[in-house]
Amino acid sequence: MVIVMGPGATREHIDALVDLVTSAGGEAYVTRGVSRTIIGLVGDVRQFETLDLRAMPGVSDVLRISVPYKLVSSENQPGRSTVSVGGVPIGGDNMTVIAGPCAVETPDQTLESAHMARAAGASLLRGGAYKPRTSPYAFQGLGETGLKILADVRAETGLPIVTEVVDAADVDLVAGYADMLQIGTRNMQNFALLQAAGEAGRPVLLKRGMNATIEEWLMAAEYIAQRGNLDIVLCERGIRTFEKATRNTLDISAVPVAQSLSHLPVIVDPSHSGGKRELVLPLSRSAIAVGADGVIVDVHPTPETALCDGPQALVGEDIPQLAEAAATLSPLVGRTLTAAPEPVGAGV
Ligand code: PEP
Ligand code: MN
């Protein structure tokens, strides 16, 4: 069950509802959104049936939600959500491109990648400082040094930062630098990490687990939402199948399916799906055409020396081609390509 508070609801109204629900033996989780506050109720619905929740002051609606993911469900919120990342929107009528290196390696490589990202049509910069690598011998990321490089590049280019956090203990540190926290495929069901991210006060990019069903993915998002954060963007990044020609199989149908089940924006990662540079543009086009709210793409100034995922990084002529695909295809599906924030100091 979800209680939707009206626009005039006060803190006292919310506290009174939480007290009522807890005294009836249930649990109440408050999520404050930009335009409204909702209270998710956990417990046996029969516990709540005797309570006259609708009559409580400040309440606008009480919804019985039939699916297990209550807060992120489209039953809870009609219409599509828009998530703001450092002022850049994802969702609604926007098509948002996120681009950058797989991993932050050096200040120059990150700055050059940010210029490439902007030229590719991106309004947000991606880059990992904490890398969840399959091999313990592979480059694990620069850690906080990498976060500082990202913050410097943001100051110079104006592009807000999306970066991965792999450990619940690092969430506050990463949130101190990042505009959006990324939770990767390997951590989609790291419930302690999801809960910590839900309390960090930053929007979250939640990648689909490579072996996860769409329902499991939405339940993972629910862990974040339940901790009070509904600023979540889902990312389809390919799933494991028997097919070996690609790194993962891009489940393009997951985009409209997740968009029908949930109000959250859904973007696609064509780089980690295909795993090959030459597949990134065709998969990006398919993502835009199917109605994705954005794409997140790897770029690198020198992919041949990249410490992580060089073979899938766009470079050279790929960059204007991605920009052109995003600019020309977006209006065909009723979307506007999100403009990048002006570089700091520009136009003065
Ligand atoms: C990434 O985006 O850098 C990454 C590691 O992706 P995934 O979690 O989808 O493998
Ligand atoms: Mn990668």
PDB file of all heavy atoms in Angstrom, residues 102 126 128 131-132 164 182-186 207-208 210 237 247 269 272 296 298 308-309, ligand 1:
ATOM      1  N   CYS A 102      35.700   4.175 -19.730  1.00  0.00           N
ATOM      2  CA  CYS A 102      35.281   3.132 -18.795  1.00  0.00           C
ATOM      3  C   CYS A 102      35.895   3.453 -17.431  1.00  0.00           C
ATOM      4  O   CYS A 102      35.197   3.508 -16.430  1.00  0.00           O
ATOM      5  CB  CYS A 102      35.738   1.773 -19.298  1.00  0.00           C
ATOM      6  SG  CYS A 102      35.269   0.474 -18.167  1.00  0.00           S
ATOM      7  N   ARG A 126      30.634  10.056 -17.820  1.00  0.00           N
ATOM      8  CA  ARG A 126      30.807   8.829 -17.045  1.00  0.00           C
ATOM      9  C   ARG A 126      32.308   8.563 -16.856  1.00  0.00           C
ATOM     10  O   ARG A 126      33.143   9.075 -17.611  1.00  0.00           O
ATOM     11  CB  ARG A 126      30.155   7.627 -17.714  1.00  0.00           C
ATOM     12  CG  ARG A 126      30.726   7.220 -19.056  1.00  0.00           C
ATOM     13  CD  ARG A 126      30.646   5.708 -19.299  1.00  0.00           C
ATOM     14  NE  ARG A 126      31.597   5.005 -18.451  1.00  0.00           N
ATOM     15  CZ  ARG A 126      31.409   3.791 -17.957  1.00  0.00           C
ATOM     16  NH1 ARG A 126      30.333   3.119 -18.230  1.00  0.00           N
ATOM     17  NH2 ARG A 126      32.334   3.224 -17.187  1.00  0.00           N
ATOM     18  N   GLY A 128      34.810   5.500 -14.329  1.00  0.00           N
ATOM     19  CA  GLY A 128      34.898   4.723 -13.096  1.00  0.00           C
ATOM     20  C   GLY A 128      36.196   4.985 -12.345  1.00  0.00           C
ATOM     21  O   GLY A 128      37.284   4.958 -12.929  1.00  0.00           O
ATOM     22  N   LYS A 131      36.609   0.168  -9.971  1.00  0.00           N
ATOM     23  CA  LYS A 131      36.236  -0.732 -11.056  1.00  0.00           C
ATOM     24  C   LYS A 131      35.989  -2.141 -10.531  1.00  0.00           C
ATOM     25  O   LYS A 131      36.886  -2.737  -9.917  1.00  0.00           O
ATOM     26  CB  LYS A 131      37.362  -0.800 -12.111  1.00  0.00           C
ATOM     27  CG  LYS A 131      37.656   0.505 -12.821  1.00  0.00           C
ATOM     28  CD  LYS A 131      36.447   1.119 -13.511  1.00  0.00           C
ATOM     29  CE  LYS A 131      35.760   0.213 -14.495  1.00  0.00           C
ATOM     30  NZ  LYS A 131      34.504   0.867 -15.025  1.00  0.00           N
ATOM     31  N   PRO A 132      34.814  -2.686 -10.760  1.00  0.00           N
ATOM     32  CA  PRO A 132      34.518  -4.058 -10.330  1.00  0.00           C
ATOM     33  C   PRO A 132      35.036  -5.040 -11.381  1.00  0.00           C
ATOM     34  O   PRO A 132      34.301  -5.442 -12.276  1.00  0.00           O
ATOM     35  CB  PRO A 132      32.982  -4.058 -10.291  1.00  0.00           C
ATOM     36  CG  PRO A 132      32.589  -3.066 -11.361  1.00  0.00           C
ATOM     37  CD  PRO A 132      33.711  -2.080 -11.509  1.00  0.00           C
ATOM     38  N   GLU A 164      30.830   4.975 -10.591  1.00  0.00           N
ATOM     39  CA  GLU A 164      30.374   3.759  -9.905  1.00  0.00           C
ATOM     40  C   GLU A 164      30.864   3.689  -8.455  1.00  0.00           C
ATOM     41  O   GLU A 164      31.966   4.124  -8.136  1.00  0.00           O
ATOM     42  CB  GLU A 164      30.876   2.527 -10.677  1.00  0.00           C
ATOM     43  CG  GLU A 164      30.404   1.214 -10.063  1.00  0.00           C
ATOM     44  CD  GLU A 164      30.456   0.023 -11.010  1.00  0.00           C
ATOM     45  OE1 GLU A 164      30.798   0.187 -12.200  1.00  0.00           O
ATOM     46  OE2 GLU A 164      30.155  -1.090 -10.546  1.00  0.00           O
ATOM     47  N   GLN A 182      26.609   5.242  -9.711  1.00  0.00           N
ATOM     48  CA  GLN A 182      26.303   4.094 -10.564  1.00  0.00           C
ATOM     49  C   GLN A 182      26.464   2.821  -9.758  1.00  0.00           C
ATOM     50  O   GLN A 182      27.452   2.656  -9.043  1.00  0.00           O
ATOM     51  CB  GLN A 182      27.265   4.105 -11.758  1.00  0.00           C
ATOM     52  CG  GLN A 182      27.109   2.928 -12.695  1.00  0.00           C
ATOM     53  CD  GLN A 182      28.024   3.063 -13.922  1.00  0.00           C
ATOM     54  OE1 GLN A 182      28.241   4.175 -14.417  1.00  0.00           O
ATOM     55  NE2 GLN A 182      28.553   1.971 -14.398  1.00  0.00           N
ATOM     56  N   ILE A 183      25.463   1.942  -9.869  1.00  0.00           N
ATOM     57  CA  ILE A 183      25.601   0.598  -9.284  1.00  0.00           C
ATOM     58  C   ILE A 183      25.646  -0.373 -10.449  1.00  0.00           C
ATOM     59  O   ILE A 183      24.752  -0.386 -11.305  1.00  0.00           O
ATOM     60  CB  ILE A 183      24.461   0.297  -8.297  1.00  0.00           C
ATOM     61  CG1 ILE A 183      24.577   1.275  -7.116  1.00  0.00           C
ATOM     62  CG2 ILE A 183      24.516  -1.154  -7.835  1.00  0.00           C
ATOM     63  CD1 ILE A 183      23.631   1.052  -5.983  1.00  0.00           C
ATOM     64  N   GLY A 184      26.711  -1.145 -10.517  1.00  0.00           N
ATOM     65  CA  GLY A 184      26.973  -1.961 -11.693  1.00  0.00           C
ATOM     66  C   GLY A 184      26.248  -3.294 -11.679  1.00  0.00           C
ATOM     67  O   GLY A 184      25.647  -3.700 -10.675  1.00  0.00           O
ATOM     68  N   THR A 185      26.368  -3.989 -12.806  1.00  0.00           N
ATOM     69  CA  THR A 185      25.647  -5.243 -13.012  1.00  0.00           C
ATOM     70  C   THR A 185      25.978  -6.273 -11.930  1.00  0.00           C
ATOM     71  O   THR A 185      25.120  -7.014 -11.477  1.00  0.00           O
ATOM     72  CB  THR A 185      25.985  -5.791 -14.421  1.00  0.00           C
ATOM     73  OG1 THR A 185      25.099  -6.834 -14.739  1.00  0.00           O
ATOM     74  CG2 THR A 185      27.424  -6.293 -14.549  1.00  0.00           C
ATOM     75  N   ARG A 186      27.272  -6.300 -11.510  1.00  0.00           N
ATOM     76  CA  ARG A 186      27.705  -7.321 -10.536  1.00  0.00           C
ATOM     77  C   ARG A 186      27.176  -7.036  -9.144  1.00  0.00           C
ATOM     78  O   ARG A 186      27.213  -7.898  -8.274  1.00  0.00           O
ATOM     79  CB  ARG A 186      29.233  -7.410 -10.540  1.00  0.00           C
ATOM     80  CG  ARG A 186      29.776  -7.927 -11.851  1.00  0.00           C
ATOM     81  CD  ARG A 186      31.245  -7.598 -12.047  1.00  0.00           C
ATOM     82  NE  ARG A 186      31.671  -7.972 -13.397  1.00  0.00           N
ATOM     83  CZ  ARG A 186      31.464  -7.227 -14.476  1.00  0.00           C
ATOM     84  NH1 ARG A 186      30.838  -6.053 -14.383  1.00  0.00           N
ATOM     85  NH2 ARG A 186      31.857  -7.636 -15.666  1.00  0.00           N
ATOM     86  N   LYS A 207      22.261  -0.463 -12.923  1.00  0.00           N
ATOM     87  CA  LYS A 207      22.384  -1.357 -14.066  1.00  0.00           C
ATOM     88  C   LYS A 207      21.683  -2.685 -13.779  1.00  0.00           C
ATOM     89  O   LYS A 207      21.612  -3.128 -12.623  1.00  0.00           O
ATOM     90  CB  LYS A 207      23.855  -1.575 -14.377  1.00  0.00           C
ATOM     91  CG  LYS A 207      24.490  -0.307 -14.946  1.00  0.00           C
ATOM     92  CD  LYS A 207      25.811  -0.604 -15.571  1.00  0.00           C
ATOM     93  CE  LYS A 207      26.113   0.384 -16.664  1.00  0.00           C
ATOM     94  NZ  LYS A 207      27.228  -0.082 -17.478  1.00  0.00           N
ATOM     95  N   ARG A 208      21.203  -3.295 -14.848  1.00  0.00           N
ATOM     96  CA  ARG A 208      20.545  -4.592 -14.689  1.00  0.00           C
ATOM     97  C   ARG A 208      21.600  -5.670 -14.473  1.00  0.00           C
ATOM     98  O   ARG A 208      22.605  -5.721 -15.196  1.00  0.00           O
ATOM     99  CB  ARG A 208      19.743  -4.900 -15.958  1.00  0.00           C
ATOM    100  CG  ARG A 208      19.023  -6.230 -15.917  1.00  0.00           C
ATOM    101  CD  ARG A 208      18.251  -6.442 -17.201  1.00  0.00           C
ATOM    102  NE  ARG A 208      17.573  -7.716 -17.215  1.00  0.00           N
ATOM    103  CZ  ARG A 208      16.918  -8.198 -18.262  1.00  0.00           C
ATOM    104  NH1 ARG A 208      16.857  -7.484 -19.381  1.00  0.00           N
ATOM    105  NH2 ARG A 208      16.318  -9.359 -18.207  1.00  0.00           N
ATOM    106  N   MET A 210      23.484  -9.036 -14.883  1.00  0.00           N
ATOM    107  CA  MET A 210      23.609  -9.766 -16.154  1.00  0.00           C
ATOM    108  C   MET A 210      22.775 -11.045 -16.175  1.00  0.00           C
ATOM    109  O   MET A 210      22.474 -11.567 -17.239  1.00  0.00           O
ATOM    110  CB  MET A 210      25.076 -10.055 -16.478  1.00  0.00           C
ATOM    111  CG  MET A 210      25.781 -10.907 -15.475  1.00  0.00           C
ATOM    112  SD  MET A 210      27.521 -11.094 -15.894  1.00  0.00           S
ATOM    113  CE  MET A 210      28.273  -9.772 -14.968  1.00  0.00           C
ATOM    114  N   ARG A 237      22.017  -3.266 -19.794  1.00  0.00           N
ATOM    115  CA  ARG A 237      23.413  -3.346 -20.257  1.00  0.00           C
ATOM    116  C   ARG A 237      23.773  -4.715 -20.808  1.00  0.00           C
ATOM    117  O   ARG A 237      24.932  -5.071 -20.914  1.00  0.00           O
ATOM    118  CB  ARG A 237      24.382  -2.914 -19.151  1.00  0.00           C
ATOM    119  CG  ARG A 237      24.170  -3.555 -17.826  1.00  0.00           C
ATOM    120  CD  ARG A 237      24.661  -4.973 -17.704  1.00  0.00           C
ATOM    121  NE  ARG A 237      26.105  -5.039 -17.722  1.00  0.00           N
ATOM    122  CZ  ARG A 237      26.796  -6.096 -18.116  1.00  0.00           C
ATOM    123  NH1 ARG A 237      26.166  -7.199 -18.506  1.00  0.00           N
ATOM    124  NH2 ARG A 237      28.114  -6.086 -18.096  1.00  0.00           N
ATOM    125  N   ARG A 247      29.532  -9.540 -26.284  1.00  0.00           N
ATOM    126  CA  ARG A 247      29.946  -9.695 -24.880  1.00  0.00           C
ATOM    127  C   ARG A 247      28.751 -10.103 -24.020  1.00  0.00           C
ATOM    128  O   ARG A 247      28.831 -10.947 -23.144  1.00  0.00           O
ATOM    129  CB  ARG A 247      30.531  -8.361 -24.422  1.00  0.00           C
ATOM    130  CG  ARG A 247      31.067  -8.344 -23.032  1.00  0.00           C
ATOM    131  CD  ARG A 247      31.758  -7.017 -22.734  1.00  0.00           C
ATOM    132  NE  ARG A 247      32.212  -6.978 -21.362  1.00  0.00           N
ATOM    133  CZ  ARG A 247      32.805  -5.947 -20.786  1.00  0.00           C
ATOM    134  NH1 ARG A 247      33.035  -4.847 -21.477  1.00  0.00           N
ATOM    135  NH2 ARG A 247      33.176  -6.002 -19.536  1.00  0.00           N
ATOM    136  N   ASP A 269      23.075   0.749 -22.211  1.00  0.00           N
ATOM    137  CA  ASP A 269      24.533   0.793 -22.360  1.00  0.00           C
ATOM    138  C   ASP A 269      24.919  -0.112 -23.527  1.00  0.00           C
ATOM    139  O   ASP A 269      25.055  -1.327 -23.365  1.00  0.00           O
ATOM    140  CB  ASP A 269      25.200   0.309 -21.059  1.00  0.00           C
ATOM    141  CG  ASP A 269      26.715   0.371 -21.127  1.00  0.00           C
ATOM    142  OD1 ASP A 269      27.264   0.405 -22.251  1.00  0.00           O
ATOM    143  OD2 ASP A 269      27.354   0.380 -20.064  1.00  0.00           O
ATOM    144  N   HIS A 272      28.799  -1.898 -23.051  1.00  0.00           N
ATOM    145  CA  HIS A 272      28.973  -3.125 -22.275  1.00  0.00           C
ATOM    146  C   HIS A 272      28.081  -4.258 -22.790  1.00  0.00           C
ATOM    147  O   HIS A 272      28.343  -5.418 -22.497  1.00  0.00           O
ATOM    148  CB  HIS A 272      28.739  -2.854 -20.778  1.00  0.00           C
ATOM    149  CG  HIS A 272      29.854  -2.042 -20.174  1.00  0.00           C
ATOM    150  ND1 HIS A 272      29.894  -0.672 -20.285  1.00  0.00           N
ATOM    151  CD2 HIS A 272      30.985  -2.394 -19.513  1.00  0.00           C
ATOM    152  CE1 HIS A 272      30.996  -0.225 -19.697  1.00  0.00           C
ATOM    153  NE2 HIS A 272      31.674  -1.253 -19.215  1.00  0.00           N
ATOM    154  N   ILE A 296      24.357   5.288 -22.473  1.00  0.00           N
ATOM    155  CA  ILE A 296      25.620   5.537 -21.762  1.00  0.00           C
ATOM    156  C   ILE A 296      26.700   4.785 -22.532  1.00  0.00           C
ATOM    157  O   ILE A 296      26.603   3.571 -22.724  1.00  0.00           O
ATOM    158  CB  ILE A 296      25.550   5.143 -20.267  1.00  0.00           C
ATOM    159  CG1 ILE A 296      26.890   5.380 -19.579  1.00  0.00           C
ATOM    160  CG2 ILE A 296      25.061   3.733 -20.051  1.00  0.00           C
ATOM    161  CD1 ILE A 296      26.833   5.331 -18.044  1.00  0.00           C
ATOM    162  N   ASP A 298      30.922   4.261 -23.794  1.00  0.00           N
ATOM    163  CA  ASP A 298      32.357   4.417 -23.506  1.00  0.00           C
ATOM    164  C   ASP A 298      33.041   5.163 -24.655  1.00  0.00           C
ATOM    165  O   ASP A 298      32.833   4.831 -25.836  1.00  0.00           O
ATOM    166  CB  ASP A 298      33.026   3.034 -23.408  1.00  0.00           C
ATOM    167  CG  ASP A 298      32.724   2.291 -22.116  1.00  0.00           C
ATOM    168  OD1 ASP A 298      31.886   2.762 -21.332  1.00  0.00           O
ATOM    169  OD2 ASP A 298      33.339   1.226 -21.899  1.00  0.00           O
ATOM    170  N   CYS A 308      41.072  -0.415 -19.442  1.00  0.00           N
ATOM    171  CA  CYS A 308      39.825  -1.153 -19.235  1.00  0.00           C
ATOM    172  C   CYS A 308      38.922  -0.965 -20.451  1.00  0.00           C
ATOM    173  O   CYS A 308      38.663   0.178 -20.845  1.00  0.00           O
ATOM    174  CB  CYS A 308      39.164  -0.577 -17.974  1.00  0.00           C
ATOM    175  SG  CYS A 308      37.678  -1.402 -17.475  1.00  0.00           S
ATOM    176  N   ASP A 309      38.480  -2.048 -21.054  1.00  0.00           N
ATOM    177  CA  ASP A 309      37.434  -2.009 -22.086  1.00  0.00           C
ATOM    178  C   ASP A 309      37.760  -1.162 -23.319  1.00  0.00           C
ATOM    179  O   ASP A 309      36.841  -0.614 -23.944  1.00  0.00           O
ATOM    180  CB  ASP A 309      36.107  -1.543 -21.470  1.00  0.00           C
ATOM    181  CG  ASP A 309      35.465  -2.622 -20.599  1.00  0.00           C
ATOM    182  OD1 ASP A 309      35.948  -3.780 -20.632  1.00  0.00           O
ATOM    183  OD2 ASP A 309      34.500  -2.316 -19.886  1.00  0.00           O
TER     184      ASP A 309
HETATM  185  C1  PEP B   1      30.796   0.167 -16.336  1.00  0.00           C
HETATM  186  O1  PEP B   1      29.849   0.831 -16.781  1.00  0.00           O
HETATM  187  O2  PEP B   1      31.940   0.612 -16.242  1.00  0.00           O
HETATM  188  C2  PEP B   1      30.576  -1.231 -15.932  1.00  0.00           C
HETATM  189  C3  PEP B   1      31.466  -1.895 -15.196  1.00  0.00           C
HETATM  190  O3  PEP B   1      29.432  -1.720 -16.395  1.00  0.00           O
HETATM  191  P1  PEP B   1      28.622  -3.066 -15.987  1.00  0.00           P
HETATM  192  O4  PEP B   1      28.401  -2.982 -14.529  1.00  0.00           O
HETATM  193  O5  PEP B   1      27.374  -2.942 -16.809  1.00  0.00           O
HETATM  194  O6  PEP B   1      29.483  -4.213 -16.423  1.00  0.00           O
END
